[in-house]
Each structure stands twice: as structure tokens, then as C-alpha cells.
């Protein structure tokens, strides 16, 4: 199975190659400039590198809104906070692995049962969630359906899965979703990455977005890349 299939999104690998209208030299120069700019000021943590998109010829009120996830070639958000809702087996396993993630038991989750304030606080405690496969069906009954509405329904992890790989998958996945406005942004990397890895992530993200659009490249008004504190660099 492909990563796209495992993530529950369409497998678009057949259209993710050689379709970008962004000039390669412009992409390279923009990314190189972003990385150079980030080195001018010493910061405690690396900056995120974001892809910003402005769409055209789309009516969010009439046209079908799209949503899709894509796994990037390299980890885009190494500092993304991940929470694992673990059964007894995974709790024991995670104690040995000592991954940089938050671990909670089902008993912890039951304490917030249908309490809206505590549920919201728990949702905001992490950027993404994983859960033991044995608990997936129980979580909505405990916490209600709100987990899915905020786009953070846990990714299922079986006892045979590589947990570290699952965490890396979450931190390497970006989601595009058309809402009420025609611009959007996603994190495609960080300033500790090298130029090739950052270019690879950015190209994959752009091409996947284009594959979701009704008129493909004709729906793209402009594309920019920028670091958290840096200047935007126009790609298209």
C-alpha cells in the first residue's frame, strides 16, 4: 500500500511528478534565500517554512470544497506536539521508546467524558493525535463527535505498527482544505532542513494541491514560500 492509501487519501502518485509550473531555478533561489535569512538572527528553535496559496476562479459558496492530505518526503514539523491515547500494551511500549510525545491512558480520557470545557482543553493540548487500534471505536463514545470536526481524529496504531514511524508520518503530513476564503497556508518544512529536502517537500505539496483543484493550474493565482519571521518569496 502507498502512504496516501494508508492515510486515507487518494493515491495521486501518477500526477505528482513533472507537473509543476514553478521554475526550478526560482524555487532553488527562494529556498536558498529563506535558509540564508534564517541564519542572520540566532533563534532558540528553527523557523517553520510555509507555503501560501491564493486561488482564483473558485466560488466557495457554489463550488465543491476540497480537502486532502499528502505525506511529504521529509519530516516537515519535527516540533509538532503529538498525543498518544494508549492501551496498556502501548503504554508499556512507549515507556521504553521514550519518544517526544505526550502519552495518556483511556482512564485519563474518561475523566473528561462529555465535559465540553475539558474536551476542548484536551483537543488544544496537541497538534495531532494517535490512538491504539483497540481504543479507536471507544473514543467518540467518550468524547463525542467533536474530535472529527476539528480535524484531529486520532490516527489508529496497531500493536504491530512501528510507533516512531507513525509519529514521523503525522509530522510529515500536510492537509489542504478549501474553506470560505481563497487563500491557505501549510507548513512544508523548517529552516534546519537542507535546500534539496525543502524543495522536495514544497514541490510535492504544490503538485498535490493542484491535483485537488477543479481547473488545476488555472485555479492558482499565486504561490509564496516564507519562513515564520522572514519575507515572502513569490514562486508563481
Amino acid at each position: 500500500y502507498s502512504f496516501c492509501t494508508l492515510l486515507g487519501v487518494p493515491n495521486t502518485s501518477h500526477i505528482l511528478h513533472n507537473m509543476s509550473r514553478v521554475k526550478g531555478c526560482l524555487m532553488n533561489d527562494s529556498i536558498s534565500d529563506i535558509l540564508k535569512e534564517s541564519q542572520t538572527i540566532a533563534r532558540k528553535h528553527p523557523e517553520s517554512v510555509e507555503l501560501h496559496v491564493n486561488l482564483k476562479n473558485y466560488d466557495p459558496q457554489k463550488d465543491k470544497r476540497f480537502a486532502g492530505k499528502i505525506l511529504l518526503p521529509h519530516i516537515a514539523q519535527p516540533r509538532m506536539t503529538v498525543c498518544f491515547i494508549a492501551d496498556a500494551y502501548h503504554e508499556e511500549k512507549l515507556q521504553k521508546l521514550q519518544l517526544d510525545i505526550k502519552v495518556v491512558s483511556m482512564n485519563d480520557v474518561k475523566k473528561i467524558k462529555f465535559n465540553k470545557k475539558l474536551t476542548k482543553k484536551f483537543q488544544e493540548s496537541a497538534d495531532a493525535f494517535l490512538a491504539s487500534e483497540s481504543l479507536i471505536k471507544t473514543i467518540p463514545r467518550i468524547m463525542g463527535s467533536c474530535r472529527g470536526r476539528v480535524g484531529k481524529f486520532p490516527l489508529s496504531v496497531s500493536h504491530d505498527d512501528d510507533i516512531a514511524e507513525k509519529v514521523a508520518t503525522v509530522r510529515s503530513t500536510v492537509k489542504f482544505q478549501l474553506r470560505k476564503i481563497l487563500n491557505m497556508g501549510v507548513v512544508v518544512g523548517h529552516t534546519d532542513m537542507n535546500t534539496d529536502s525543502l524543495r522536495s517537500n514544497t514541490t510535492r505539496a504544490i503538485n498535490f494541491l493542484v491535483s485537488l483543484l477543479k481547473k488545476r493550474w488555472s485555479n492558482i493565482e499565486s504561490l509564496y514560500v516564507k519562513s515564520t519571521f522572514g519575507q515572502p518569496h513569490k514562486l508563481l
Side-chain angles (χ1 to χ4, degrees):
Y1 296 102
S2 70
F3 280 118
C4 287
T5 301
L6 293 173
L7 286 169
V9 298
N11 186 345
T12 56
S13 58
H14 62 293
I15 58 174
L16 289 177
H17 302 287
N18 302 319
M19 63 175 286
S20 178
R21 291 187 184 179
V22 177
K23 294 181 180 179
C25 57
L26 180 58
M27 172 82 78
N28 286 339
D29 289 346
S30 298
I31 290 174
S32 294
D33 287 346
I34 286 172
L35 296 180
K36 289 177 183 177
E37 289 168 5
S38 70
Q39 296 172 1
T40 59
I41 299 176
R43 301 187 188 278
K44 186 176 180 181
H45 300 291
E47 297 174 67
S48 294
V49 176
E50 306 155 1
L51 170 68
H52 290 269
V53 184
N54 294 307
L55 302 178
K56 63 181 180 179
N57 302 325
Y58 244 109
D59 186 342
Q61 302 301 323
K62 297 179 180 179
D63 294 328
K64 184 179 179 180
R65 297 184 189 182
F66 60 81
K69 295 180 181 180
I70 183 69
L71 180 67
L72 302 180
H74 309 280
I75 293 177
Q77 300 183 74
R79 298 184 66 245
M80 172 189 278
T81 55
V82 178
C83 178
F84 197 120
I85 304 172
D87 60 16
Y89 174 86
H90 277 139
E91 274 195 271
E92 183 178 349
K93 190 171 184 178
L94 284 162
Q95 286 179 356
K96 297 176 182 177
L97 290 175
Q98 295 185 328
L99 298 175
D100 182 24
I101 62 174
K102 178 182 178 181
V103 181
V104 298
S105 68
M106 201 58 193
N107 287 333
D108 295 324
V109 176
K110 287 179 179 178
K111 293 176 183 177
I112 64 173
K113 186 175 181 179
F114 298 119
N115 184 312
K116 289 184 178 180
K117 288 185 178 180
L118 292 179
T119 297
K120 183 179 180 181
K121 185 177 179 180
F122 180 63
Q123 290 170 348
E124 294 174 348
S125 69
D127 298 314
F129 291 82
L130 303 174
S132 301
E133 187 179 50
S134 61
L135 303 178
I136 283 290
K137 292 182 179 180
T138 309
I139 292 171
R141 294 200 298 268
I142 298 294
M143 300 181 63
S145 59
C146 52
R147 172 116 270 110
R149 289 203 299 271
V150 296
K152 289 185 180 180
F153 192 84
L155 180 65
S156 177
V157 182
S158 73
H159 288 175
D160 295 326
D161 285 335
D162 184 325
I163 300 176
E165 185 176 310
K166 285 283 188 178
V167 173
T169 294
V170 169
R171 288 173 171 165
S172 305
T173 301
V174 297
K175 179 179 181 179
F176 290 100
Q177 184 170 4
L178 179 65
R179 299 186 186 276
K180 295 181 179 180
I181 55 176
L182 294 180
N183 52 64
M184 60 187 72
V186 296
V187 175
V188 293
H190 53 88
T191 54
D192 272 355
M193 296 174 73
N194 60 45
T195 303
D196 289 342
S197 297
L198 194 49
R199 182 185 65 239
S200 179
N201 274 10
T202 305
T203 301
R204 176 67 65 92
I206 292 171
N207 290 342
F208 178 69
L209 170 63
V210 171
S211 76
L212 296 175
L213 301 176
K214 182 175 62 175
K215 296 180 180 179
R216 302 296 191 259
W217 284 97
S218 296
N219 288 129
I220 300 289
E221 175 73 35
S222 59
L223 294 169
Y224 293 84
V225 285
K226 69 179 295 294
S227 62
T228 306
F229 302 106
Q231 296 296 315
H233 294 259
K234 189 172 183 179
L235 299 178
L236 187 68

